[in-house]
Amino acid sequence: MSEPFNAIQVVMMPRDTNPFGTIFGGVILSYIDMAGSIGARREVLLAGGNGSAAFVTVAINRVEFKQPVLVGDVVRFVTKLVRMGRTSVTMHIDVMAERDTQTIHVTDAEVVYVAVDPKVPASERKPVPVK
């Protein structure tokens, strides 16, 4: 298994806030999903797997929001491989917010992706091997 990978780092902006002044959970979920798919592709490539596969989300097994994310936080989405199956990859994503001089663990998730052939129309796609 490889080391944790910083898949995405982004500054949270006012457009992403809810009425309470914190960042919408759905915005964080969107970045979690993107980071996990980036990490899954990277892991497959590092293992010498199917470089032409695209990854689609099958399941978000668990998400727990531990701390709010604020406007101006620099948020890192760090991925780590949990499991690589025949057609799927499970990733753990840690979400860390840098606020002033602190680094705060705000949430984490476990997401399952399946490999598909991006050349096949979406309505006809079936899983393809990752290796």
Side-chain angles (χ1 to χ4, degrees):
M1 264 188 234
S2 66
E3 295 295 313
F5 174 65
N6 185 20
I8 298 174
Q9 184 167 308
V10 64
V11 177
M12 293 292 117
M13 303 300 284
R15 69 175 177 263
D16 298 324
T17 58
N18 60 31
F20 306 106
T22 59
I23 303 301
F24 273 111
V27 170
I28 302 301
L29 285 172
S30 175
Y31 283 118
I32 285 171
D33 193 21
M34 283 189 278
S37 67
I38 290 167
R41 178 168 171 72
R42 178 178 182 270
E43 291 294 338
V44 167
L45 291 174
L46 287 173
N50 185 350
S52 65
F55 291 89
V56 295
T57 308
V58 172
I60 298 177
N61 291 337
R62 184 185 55 76
V63 178
E64 181 180 337
F65 294 99
K66 299 173 186 198
Q67 297 288 326
V69 178
L70 307 178
V71 171
D73 285 353
V74 177
V75 182
R76 286 181 287 133
F77 297 81
V78 180
T79 65
K80 182 137 179 88
L81 178 67
V82 174
R83 177 176 36 264
M84 190 178 304
R86 191 178 74 76
T87 61
S88 67
V89 179
T90 303
M91 300 297 294
H92 181 87
I93 300 95
D94 279 312
V95 183
M96 311 298 288
E98 294 178 11
R99 186 178 303 152
D100 300 321
T101 61
Q102 295 180 315
T103 299
I104 303 161
H105 184 236
V106 295
T107 190
D108 61 272
E110 188 174 284
V111 185
V112 180
Y113 300 91
V114 69
V116 296
D117 183 345
K119 295 176 188 146
V120 174
S123 62
E124 300 172 22
R125 284 188 186 145
K126 296 192 176 8
V128 298
V130 295
K131 289 187 180 179

